[in-house]
Short mmCIF file of all heavy atoms in Angstrom, two decimals:
data_model
loop_
_atom_site.label_atom_id
_atom_site.label_comp_id
_atom_site.label_asym_id
_atom_site.label_seq_id
_atom_site.Cartn_x
_atom_site.Cartn_y
_atom_site.Cartn_z
N MET Q 165 31.98 -41.85 -4.87
CA MET Q 165 33.39 -41.51 -4.74
C MET Q 165 33.76 -40.59 -5.91
O MET Q 165 33.60 -40.97 -7.07
CB MET Q 165 34.22 -42.80 -4.75
CG MET Q 165 35.69 -42.57 -4.60
SD MET Q 165 36.59 -44.14 -4.67
CE MET Q 165 36.95 -44.32 -2.96
N PRO Q 166 34.27 -39.38 -5.65
CA PRO Q 166 34.61 -38.47 -6.75
C PRO Q 166 35.83 -38.95 -7.54
O PRO Q 166 36.73 -39.58 -6.99
CB PRO Q 166 34.90 -37.14 -6.05
CG PRO Q 166 35.18 -37.49 -4.64
CD PRO Q 166 34.49 -38.80 -4.34
N ALA Q 167 35.81 -38.65 -8.81
CA ALA Q 167 36.95 -39.01 -9.67
C ALA Q 167 38.14 -38.13 -9.29
O ALA Q 167 38.00 -36.95 -9.01
CB ALA Q 167 36.59 -38.82 -11.13
N GLU Q 168 39.30 -38.73 -9.31
CA GLU Q 168 40.52 -37.99 -8.99
C GLU Q 168 40.91 -37.12 -10.18
O GLU Q 168 40.95 -37.59 -11.32
CB GLU Q 168 41.64 -38.99 -8.68
CG GLU Q 168 42.89 -38.34 -8.16
CD GLU Q 168 43.93 -39.38 -7.78
OE1 GLU Q 168 43.57 -40.38 -7.14
OE2 GLU Q 168 45.10 -39.17 -8.15
N GLU Q 169 41.17 -35.85 -9.93
CA GLU Q 169 41.57 -34.95 -11.01
C GLU Q 169 43.07 -35.08 -11.26
O GLU Q 169 43.86 -35.19 -10.32
CB GLU Q 169 41.24 -33.51 -10.64
CG GLU Q 169 39.75 -33.24 -10.66
CD GLU Q 169 39.44 -31.76 -10.55
OE1 GLU Q 169 40.22 -30.94 -11.07
OE2 GLU Q 169 38.43 -31.44 -9.94
N THR Q 170 43.41 -35.08 -12.51
CA THR Q 170 44.83 -35.14 -12.89
C THR Q 170 45.10 -34.04 -13.90
O THR Q 170 44.19 -33.55 -14.57
CB THR Q 170 45.20 -36.50 -13.52
OG1 THR Q 170 44.40 -36.69 -14.68
CG2 THR Q 170 44.96 -37.65 -12.54
N ALA Q 171 46.34 -33.68 -14.00
CA ALA Q 171 46.74 -32.68 -14.99
C ALA Q 171 46.66 -33.30 -16.38
O ALA Q 171 46.89 -34.49 -16.55
CB ALA Q 171 48.16 -32.22 -14.71
N PRO Q 172 46.31 -32.51 -17.39
CA PRO Q 172 46.27 -33.05 -18.74
C PRO Q 172 47.67 -33.47 -19.19
O PRO Q 172 48.66 -32.88 -18.76
CB PRO Q 172 45.75 -31.89 -19.59
CG PRO Q 172 45.98 -30.67 -18.77
CD PRO Q 172 45.98 -31.09 -17.33
N PRO Q 173 47.76 -34.49 -20.03
CA PRO Q 173 49.08 -34.92 -20.50
C PRO Q 173 49.73 -33.85 -21.38
O PRO Q 173 49.06 -33.05 -22.02
CB PRO Q 173 48.79 -36.19 -21.31
CG PRO Q 173 47.36 -36.10 -21.67
CD PRO Q 173 46.68 -35.27 -20.61
N VAL Q 174 51.02 -33.88 -21.41
CA VAL Q 174 51.80 -32.96 -22.24
C VAL Q 174 52.55 -33.79 -23.27
O VAL Q 174 53.13 -34.82 -22.95
CB VAL Q 174 52.81 -32.17 -21.38
CG1 VAL Q 174 53.71 -31.32 -22.25
CG2 VAL Q 174 52.07 -31.31 -20.36
N THR Q 175 52.53 -33.34 -24.50
CA THR Q 175 53.29 -33.99 -25.56
C THR Q 175 54.43 -33.08 -25.97
O THR Q 175 54.21 -31.90 -26.23
CB THR Q 175 52.40 -34.28 -26.79
OG1 THR Q 175 51.31 -35.11 -26.39
CG2 THR Q 175 53.19 -34.96 -27.89
N ALA Q 176 55.62 -33.62 -26.00
CA ALA Q 176 56.79 -32.84 -26.40
C ALA Q 176 57.56 -33.61 -27.46
O ALA Q 176 57.67 -34.83 -27.39
CB ALA Q 176 57.69 -32.59 -25.19
N PHE Q 177 58.07 -32.90 -28.42
CA PHE Q 177 58.90 -33.50 -29.47
C PHE Q 177 60.31 -32.96 -29.31
O PHE Q 177 60.50 -31.76 -29.12
CB PHE Q 177 58.38 -33.14 -30.86
CG PHE Q 177 57.06 -33.77 -31.17
CD1 PHE Q 177 55.88 -33.12 -30.86
CD2 PHE Q 177 57.00 -35.01 -31.77
CE1 PHE Q 177 54.66 -33.69 -31.13
CE2 PHE Q 177 55.79 -35.60 -32.05
CZ PHE Q 177 54.61 -34.94 -31.73
N MET Q 178 61.27 -33.86 -29.36
CA MET Q 178 62.67 -33.45 -29.27
C MET Q 178 63.31 -33.61 -30.63
O MET Q 178 63.22 -34.67 -31.24
CB MET Q 178 63.44 -34.35 -28.28
CG MET Q 178 63.08 -34.13 -26.87
SD MET Q 178 63.98 -35.16 -25.66
CE MET Q 178 65.26 -35.97 -26.53
N LEU Q 179 63.92 -32.56 -31.10
CA LEU Q 179 64.69 -32.63 -32.33
C LEU Q 179 66.14 -32.79 -31.90
O LEU Q 179 66.68 -31.93 -31.21
CB LEU Q 179 64.51 -31.37 -33.16
CG LEU Q 179 65.38 -31.29 -34.42
CD1 LEU Q 179 65.05 -32.43 -35.38
CD2 LEU Q 179 65.18 -29.95 -35.10
N ILE Q 180 66.72 -33.87 -32.28
CA ILE Q 180 68.10 -34.15 -31.89
C ILE Q 180 69.00 -33.87 -33.08
O ILE Q 180 68.84 -34.45 -34.15
CB ILE Q 180 68.26 -35.61 -31.43
CG1 ILE Q 180 67.34 -35.86 -30.24
CG2 ILE Q 180 69.71 -35.91 -31.08
CD1 ILE Q 180 67.27 -37.30 -29.81
N LYS Q 181 69.93 -32.97 -32.88
CA LYS Q 181 70.90 -32.67 -33.94
C LYS Q 181 71.81 -33.89 -34.08
O LYS Q 181 72.37 -34.37 -33.10
CB LYS Q 181 71.70 -31.43 -33.59
CG LYS Q 181 72.56 -30.96 -34.73
CD LYS Q 181 73.15 -29.60 -34.45
CE LYS Q 181 73.91 -29.12 -35.66
NZ LYS Q 181 74.41 -27.78 -35.48
N THR Q 182 71.94 -34.36 -35.28
CA THR Q 182 72.68 -35.60 -35.48
C THR Q 182 74.13 -35.35 -35.87
O THR Q 182 74.51 -34.26 -36.28
CB THR Q 182 72.02 -36.45 -36.57
OG1 THR Q 182 72.01 -35.71 -37.79
CG2 THR Q 182 70.61 -36.83 -36.19
N THR Q 183 74.89 -36.40 -35.73
CA THR Q 183 76.29 -36.40 -36.12
C THR Q 183 76.47 -37.44 -37.22
O THR Q 183 75.60 -38.30 -37.41
CB THR Q 183 77.19 -36.78 -34.93
OG1 THR Q 183 76.86 -38.12 -34.53
CG2 THR Q 183 77.01 -35.83 -33.76
N PRO Q 184 77.58 -37.40 -37.94
CA PRO Q 184 77.81 -38.44 -38.95
C PRO Q 184 77.80 -39.85 -38.34
O PRO Q 184 77.33 -40.79 -38.99
CB PRO Q 184 79.19 -38.09 -39.50
CG PRO Q 184 79.31 -36.61 -39.31
CD PRO Q 184 78.60 -36.35 -38.01
N GLU Q 185 78.25 -39.97 -37.10
CA GLU Q 185 78.24 -41.29 -36.44
C GLU Q 185 76.82 -41.80 -36.24
O GLU Q 185 76.54 -42.98 -36.42
CB GLU Q 185 78.98 -41.23 -35.09
CG GLU Q 185 80.46 -40.95 -35.20
CD GLU Q 185 80.82 -39.49 -35.39
OE1 GLU Q 185 79.95 -38.61 -35.23
OE2 GLU Q 185 81.99 -39.23 -35.71
N TRP Q 186 75.92 -40.89 -35.84
CA TRP Q 186 74.51 -41.27 -35.65
C TRP Q 186 73.89 -41.69 -36.98
O TRP Q 186 73.20 -42.69 -37.06
CB TRP Q 186 73.75 -40.09 -35.04
CG TRP Q 186 72.29 -40.35 -34.83
CD1 TRP Q 186 71.28 -39.99 -35.67
CD2 TRP Q 186 71.68 -41.02 -33.73
NE1 TRP Q 186 70.06 -40.39 -35.15
CE2 TRP Q 186 70.29 -41.03 -33.96
CE3 TRP Q 186 72.17 -41.61 -32.57
CZ2 TRP Q 186 69.39 -41.60 -33.07
CZ3 TRP Q 186 71.26 -42.18 -31.69
CH2 TRP Q 186 69.90 -42.17 -31.94
N LEU Q 187 74.17 -40.93 -38.02
CA LEU Q 187 73.60 -41.24 -39.33
C LEU Q 187 74.16 -42.53 -39.92
O LEU Q 187 73.52 -43.17 -40.74
CB LEU Q 187 73.83 -40.07 -40.29
CG LEU Q 187 73.10 -38.78 -39.92
CD1 LEU Q 187 73.52 -37.65 -40.85
CD2 LEU Q 187 71.59 -38.97 -39.94
N ALA Q 188 75.36 -42.91 -39.49
CA ALA Q 188 75.96 -44.16 -39.97
C ALA Q 188 75.31 -45.39 -39.33
O ALA Q 188 75.46 -46.50 -39.83
CB ALA Q 188 77.46 -44.16 -39.70
N MET Q 189 74.57 -45.19 -38.23
CA MET Q 189 73.90 -46.31 -37.56
C MET Q 189 72.68 -46.75 -38.35
O MET Q 189 72.07 -45.97 -39.07
CB MET Q 189 73.42 -45.89 -36.16
CG MET Q 189 74.48 -45.59 -35.18
SD MET Q 189 73.64 -45.10 -33.64
CE MET Q 189 75.04 -44.91 -32.57
N THR Q 190 72.32 -48.00 -38.19
CA THR Q 190 71.07 -48.51 -38.76
C THR Q 190 69.91 -47.98 -37.92
O THR Q 190 70.12 -47.56 -36.76
CB THR Q 190 71.03 -50.04 -38.75
OG1 THR Q 190 71.00 -50.48 -37.38
CG2 THR Q 190 72.23 -50.65 -39.47
N PRO Q 191 68.70 -47.97 -38.45
CA PRO Q 191 67.56 -47.55 -37.62
C PRO Q 191 67.45 -48.35 -36.32
O PRO Q 191 67.13 -47.78 -35.27
CB PRO Q 191 66.36 -47.78 -38.53
CG PRO Q 191 66.91 -47.59 -39.92
CD PRO Q 191 68.30 -48.18 -39.84
N GLN Q 192 67.73 -49.63 -36.34
CA GLN Q 192 67.66 -50.44 -35.12
C GLN Q 192 68.74 -50.01 -34.12
O GLN Q 192 68.48 -49.93 -32.92
CB GLN Q 192 67.80 -51.94 -35.43
CG GLN Q 192 67.63 -52.81 -34.20
CD GLN Q 192 66.27 -52.64 -33.55
OE1 GLN Q 192 65.24 -52.74 -34.22
NE2 GLN Q 192 66.24 -52.36 -32.26
N GLU Q 193 69.94 -49.72 -34.60
CA GLU Q 193 71.01 -49.24 -33.70
C GLU Q 193 70.63 -47.91 -33.07
O GLU Q 193 70.90 -47.67 -31.89
CB GLU Q 193 72.32 -49.11 -34.46
CG GLU Q 193 72.94 -50.44 -34.85
CD GLU Q 193 74.12 -50.28 -35.79
OE1 GLU Q 193 74.15 -49.33 -36.60
OE2 GLU Q 193 75.02 -51.15 -35.71
N ARG Q 194 69.96 -47.05 -33.83
CA ARG Q 194 69.52 -45.76 -33.29
C ARG Q 194 68.47 -45.96 -32.20
O ARG Q 194 68.52 -45.32 -31.15
CB ARG Q 194 68.95 -44.87 -34.39
CG ARG Q 194 69.96 -44.42 -35.39
CD ARG Q 194 69.30 -43.63 -36.48
NE ARG Q 194 70.21 -43.48 -37.60
CZ ARG Q 194 69.86 -43.02 -38.77
NH1 ARG Q 194 68.63 -42.63 -39.01
NH2 ARG Q 194 70.75 -42.93 -39.74
N ALA Q 195 67.51 -46.84 -32.46
CA ALA Q 195 66.47 -47.11 -31.47
C ALA Q 195 67.10 -47.71 -30.21
O ALA Q 195 66.71 -47.36 -29.08
CB ALA Q 195 65.42 -48.05 -32.05
N ASP Q 196 68.06 -48.60 -30.38
CA ASP Q 196 68.75 -49.20 -29.23
C ASP Q 196 69.52 -48.14 -28.43
O ASP Q 196 69.49 -48.13 -27.20
CB ASP Q 196 69.70 -50.31 -29.68
CG ASP Q 196 68.97 -51.52 -30.25
OD1 ASP Q 196 67.74 -51.66 -30.01
OD2 ASP Q 196 69.63 -52.31 -30.94
N ALA Q 197 70.19 -47.24 -29.12
CA ALA Q 197 70.94 -46.17 -28.45
C ALA Q 197 69.98 -45.27 -27.69
O ALA Q 197 70.28 -44.85 -26.57
CB ALA Q 197 71.75 -45.37 -29.47
N PHE Q 198 68.83 -44.97 -28.27
CA PHE Q 198 67.83 -44.15 -27.59
C PHE Q 198 67.37 -44.84 -26.31
O PHE Q 198 67.30 -44.22 -25.24
CB PHE Q 198 66.66 -43.90 -28.53
CG PHE Q 198 65.63 -42.97 -27.97
CD1 PHE Q 198 65.83 -41.60 -27.98
CD2 PHE Q 198 64.44 -43.46 -27.44
CE1 PHE Q 198 64.87 -40.73 -27.47
CE2 PHE Q 198 63.48 -42.60 -26.93
CZ PHE Q 198 63.70 -41.24 -26.94
N ALA Q 199 67.11 -46.14 -26.41
CA ALA Q 199 66.61 -46.90 -25.25
C ALA Q 199 67.67 -47.05 -24.16
O ALA Q 199 67.33 -47.06 -22.98
CB ALA Q 199 66.14 -48.28 -25.71
N THR Q 200 68.92 -47.16 -24.53
CA THR Q 200 69.96 -47.41 -23.52
C THR Q 200 70.66 -46.16 -23.02
O THR Q 200 71.27 -46.19 -21.96
CB THR Q 200 71.02 -48.39 -24.06
OG1 THR Q 200 71.64 -47.82 -25.22
CG2 THR Q 200 70.42 -49.74 -24.39
N GLN Q 201 70.58 -45.06 -23.77
CA GLN Q 201 71.30 -43.85 -23.37
C GLN Q 201 70.38 -42.68 -23.05
O GLN Q 201 70.61 -41.97 -22.07
CB GLN Q 201 72.30 -43.46 -24.46
CG GLN Q 201 73.36 -44.52 -24.66
CD GLN Q 201 74.31 -44.19 -25.79
OE1 GLN Q 201 74.60 -43.03 -26.02
NE2 GLN Q 201 74.78 -45.20 -26.49
N VAL Q 202 69.36 -42.46 -23.84
CA VAL Q 202 68.49 -41.29 -23.63
C VAL Q 202 67.43 -41.58 -22.56
O VAL Q 202 67.26 -40.79 -21.63
CB VAL Q 202 67.82 -40.86 -24.96
CG1 VAL Q 202 66.85 -39.72 -24.73
CG2 VAL Q 202 68.88 -40.49 -25.98
N ILE Q 203 66.73 -42.69 -22.69
CA ILE Q 203 65.66 -43.00 -21.74
C ILE Q 203 66.16 -43.06 -20.30
O ILE Q 203 65.53 -42.47 -19.41
CB ILE Q 203 64.95 -44.32 -22.14
CG1 ILE Q 203 64.27 -44.17 -23.50
CG2 ILE Q 203 63.94 -44.74 -21.07
CD1 ILE Q 203 63.20 -43.12 -23.57
N PRO Q 204 67.28 -43.73 -20.01
CA PRO Q 204 67.75 -43.73 -18.62
C PRO Q 204 68.06 -42.33 -18.09
O PRO Q 204 67.81 -42.05 -16.91
CB PRO Q 204 69.01 -44.59 -18.67
CG PRO Q 204 68.80 -45.49 -19.83
CD PRO Q 204 68.07 -44.65 -20.84
N ALA Q 205 68.57 -41.45 -18.92
CA ALA Q 205 68.85 -40.08 -18.49
C ALA Q 205 67.56 -39.34 -18.14
O ALA Q 205 67.51 -38.59 -17.16
CB ALA Q 205 69.62 -39.33 -19.57
N ILE Q 206 66.50 -39.56 -18.92
CA ILE Q 206 65.21 -38.92 -18.64
C ILE Q 206 64.61 -39.50 -17.36
O ILE Q 206 64.14 -38.77 -16.49
CB ILE Q 206 64.25 -39.10 -19.83
CG1 ILE Q 206 64.76 -38.31 -21.04
CG2 ILE Q 206 62.83 -38.68 -19.46
CD1 ILE Q 206 64.03 -38.59 -22.33
N LYS Q 207 64.64 -40.83 -17.22
CA LYS Q 207 64.07 -41.47 -16.03
C LYS Q 207 64.80 -41.09 -14.75
O LYS Q 207 64.20 -41.07 -13.68
CB LYS Q 207 64.08 -42.99 -16.20
CG LYS Q 207 63.01 -43.47 -17.16
CD LYS Q 207 62.95 -44.97 -17.21
CE LYS Q 207 61.80 -45.41 -18.10
NZ LYS Q 207 61.64 -46.85 -18.14
N ALA Q 208 66.08 -40.74 -14.85
CA ALA Q 208 66.83 -40.32 -13.67
C ALA Q 208 66.38 -38.96 -13.17
O ALA Q 208 66.60 -38.62 -12.01
CB ALA Q 208 68.32 -40.30 -13.99
N LYS Q 209 65.74 -38.16 -14.02
CA LYS Q 209 65.36 -36.79 -13.67
C LYS Q 209 63.87 -36.61 -13.37
O LYS Q 209 63.48 -35.61 -12.79
CB LYS Q 209 65.74 -35.83 -14.81
CG LYS Q 209 67.20 -35.80 -15.14
CD LYS Q 209 67.97 -35.09 -14.06
CE LYS Q 209 69.44 -35.02 -14.44
NZ LYS Q 209 70.24 -34.43 -13.40
N THR Q 210 63.02 -37.55 -13.80
CA THR Q 210 61.58 -37.35 -13.65
C THR Q 210 60.87 -38.70 -13.57
O THR Q 210 61.48 -39.74 -13.76
CB THR Q 210 61.03 -36.51 -14.82
OG1 THR Q 210 59.69 -36.14 -14.52
CG2 THR Q 210 61.12 -37.24 -16.14
N THR Q 211 59.57 -38.66 -13.32
CA THR Q 211 58.76 -39.88 -13.29
C THR Q 211 57.55 -39.69 -14.20
O THR Q 211 57.15 -38.56 -14.50
CB THR Q 211 58.26 -40.20 -11.87
OG1 THR Q 211 57.48 -39.10 -11.40
CG2 THR Q 211 59.42 -40.46 -10.93
N GLY Q 212 56.97 -40.79 -14.63
CA GLY Q 212 55.75 -40.73 -15.42
C GLY Q 212 55.91 -40.30 -16.86
O GLY Q 212 54.93 -39.93 -17.50
N VAL Q 213 57.12 -40.36 -17.38
CA VAL Q 213 57.36 -39.96 -18.76
C VAL Q 213 57.37 -41.20 -19.64
O VAL Q 213 58.05 -42.17 -19.35
CB VAL Q 213 58.70 -39.19 -18.89
CG1 VAL Q 213 59.01 -38.91 -20.35
CG2 VAL Q 213 58.66 -37.92 -18.09
N ARG Q 214 56.62 -41.15 -20.71
CA ARG Q 214 56.66 -42.22 -21.72
C ARG Q 214 57.31 -41.66 -22.95
O ARG Q 214 57.09 -40.50 -23.31
CB ARG Q 214 55.25 -42.69 -22.05
CG ARG Q 214 54.57 -43.40 -20.90
CD ARG Q 214 53.22 -43.91 -21.27
NE ARG Q 214 52.36 -42.77 -21.64
CZ ARG Q 214 51.24 -42.87 -22.32
NH1 ARG Q 214 50.81 -44.04 -22.73
NH2 ARG Q 214 50.52 -41.81 -22.61
N SER Q 215 58.11 -42.47 -23.61
CA SER Q 215 58.84 -42.00 -24.79
C SER Q 215 58.59 -42.93 -25.96
O SER Q 215 58.41 -44.13 -25.80
CB SER Q 215 60.34 -41.96 -24.50
OG SER Q 215 60.60 -41.08 -23.46
N ARG Q 216 58.63 -42.34 -27.14
CA ARG Q 216 58.54 -43.09 -28.39
C ARG Q 216 59.61 -42.55 -29.31
O ARG Q 216 59.80 -41.36 -29.42
CB ARG Q 216 57.18 -42.85 -29.01
CG ARG Q 216 56.48 -44.13 -29.32
CD ARG Q 216 55.14 -43.86 -29.91
NE ARG Q 216 54.16 -44.21 -28.89
CZ ARG Q 216 52.96 -43.73 -28.81
NH1 ARG Q 216 52.54 -42.86 -29.67
NH2 ARG Q 216 52.15 -44.12 -27.86
N PHE Q 217 60.31 -43.44 -29.98
CA PHE Q 217 61.38 -43.04 -30.89
C PHE Q 217 60.86 -43.04 -32.31
O PHE Q 217 60.30 -44.03 -32.78
CB PHE Q 217 62.56 -44.02 -30.75
CG PHE Q 217 63.69 -43.72 -31.69
CD1 PHE Q 217 64.56 -42.67 -31.43
CD2 PHE Q 217 63.90 -44.47 -32.83
CE1 PHE Q 217 65.61 -42.38 -32.29
CE2 PHE Q 217 64.95 -44.20 -33.69
CZ PHE Q 217 65.80 -43.15 -33.42
N TYR Q 218 61.00 -41.91 -32.99
CA TYR Q 218 60.63 -41.79 -34.40
C TYR Q 218 61.88 -41.42 -35.18
O TYR Q 218 62.52 -40.42 -34.88
CB TYR Q 218 59.58 -40.70 -34.62
CG TYR Q 218 58.25 -41.02 -34.01
CD1 TYR Q 218 57.89 -40.50 -32.77
CD2 TYR Q 218 57.34 -41.84 -34.67
CE1 TYR Q 218 56.66 -40.79 -32.20
CE2 TYR Q 218 56.11 -42.13 -34.11
CZ TYR Q 218 55.78 -41.61 -32.88
OH TYR Q 218 54.58 -41.89 -32.33
N ASP Q 219 62.21 -42.22 -36.15
CA ASP Q 219 63.36 -41.93 -36.99
C ASP Q 219 62.85 -41.28 -38.27
O ASP Q 219 62.38 -41.95 -39.18
CB ASP Q 219 64.13 -43.21 -37.29
CG ASP Q 219 65.48 -42.95 -37.93
OD1 ASP Q 219 65.71 -41.82 -38.42
OD2 ASP Q 219 66.30 -43.87 -37.96
N THR Q 220 62.93 -39.96 -38.35
CA THR Q 220 62.36 -39.25 -39.50
C THR Q 220 63.19 -39.37 -40.76
O THR Q 220 62.72 -38.99 -41.83
CB THR Q 220 62.16 -37.76 -39.16
OG1 THR Q 220 63.42 -37.20 -38.80
CG2 THR Q 220 61.16 -37.59 -38.05
N GLU Q 221 64.39 -39.90 -40.66
CA GLU Q 221 65.20 -40.09 -41.87
C GLU Q 221 64.48 -41.04 -42.82
O GLU Q 221 64.69 -41.00 -44.03
CB GLU Q 221 66.58 -40.63 -41.52
CG GLU Q 221 67.47 -40.73 -42.75
CD GLU Q 221 68.83 -41.31 -42.44
OE1 GLU Q 221 69.07 -41.78 -41.33
OE2 GLU Q 221 69.67 -41.28 -43.35
N PHE Q 222 63.63 -41.87 -42.29
CA PHE Q 222 62.83 -42.79 -43.10
C PHE Q 222 62.06 -42.03 -44.19
O PHE Q 222 61.86 -42.51 -45.27
CB PHE Q 222 61.85 -43.55 -42.19
CG PHE Q 222 60.78 -44.29 -42.94
CD1 PHE Q 222 61.07 -45.51 -43.53
CD2 PHE Q 222 59.51 -43.78 -43.06
CE1 PHE Q 222 60.09 -46.21 -44.23
CE2 PHE Q 222 58.53 -44.47 -43.76
CZ PHE Q 222 58.82 -45.68 -44.34
N TYR Q 223 61.64 -40.80 -43.87
CA TYR Q 223 60.81 -40.03 -44.79
C TYR Q 223 61.61 -39.24 -45.83
O TYR Q 223 61.03 -38.60 -46.67
CB TYR Q 223 59.91 -39.07 -44.01
CG TYR Q 223 58.96 -39.81 -43.11
CD1 TYR Q 223 59.16 -39.88 -41.75
CD2 TYR Q 223 57.87 -40.49 -43.66
CE1 TYR Q 223 58.29 -40.58 -40.93
CE2 TYR Q 223 57.00 -41.19 -42.86
CZ TYR Q 223 57.20 -41.23 -41.49
OH TYR Q 223 56.35 -41.93 -40.70
N LEU Q 224 62.92 -39.23 -45.73
CA LEU Q 224 63.72 -38.47 -46.68
C LEU Q 224 63.87 -39.17 -48.01
O LEU Q 224 63.82 -40.29 -48.19
CB LEU Q 224 65.11 -38.18 -46.10
CG LEU Q 224 65.07 -37.31 -44.84
CD1 LEU Q 224 66.49 -37.15 -44.31
CD2 LEU Q 224 64.46 -35.96 -45.10
#
């Protein structure tokens, strides 16, 4: 049985311009907002997308 060919995965990084309200949130609040507001919007438009939240402010 031949192996099924699939397209190679694509990795994309989103830079989100922040607001003072976003920066006032704790890292956990930001992750929660991403999970409840951003992920559902992406899932409504496409399938097969996996997301990971990275808070780069940690490195500042």
Side-chain angles (χ1 to χ4, degrees):
M165 180 182 256
E168 188 176 316
E169 289 191 34
T170 60
V174 174
T175 301
F177 292 90
M178 289 180 10
L179 175 61
I180 300 172
K181 189 170 184 176
T182 60
T183 63
E185 294 81 11
W186 178 263
L187 295 174
M189 293 179 176
T190 66
Q192 184 60 52
E193 289 171 329
R194 293 177 194 169
D196 293 342
F198 185 79
T200 60
Q201 297 177 33
V202 176
I203 297 299
I206 293 170
K207 285 186 176 183
K209 300 287 183 184
T210 190
T211 59
V213 174
R214 293 182 298 163
S215 299
R216 233 179 253 156
F217 178 76
Y218 293 98
D219 191 344
T220 58
E221 185 182 8
F222 168 79
Y223 297 105
L224 297 177

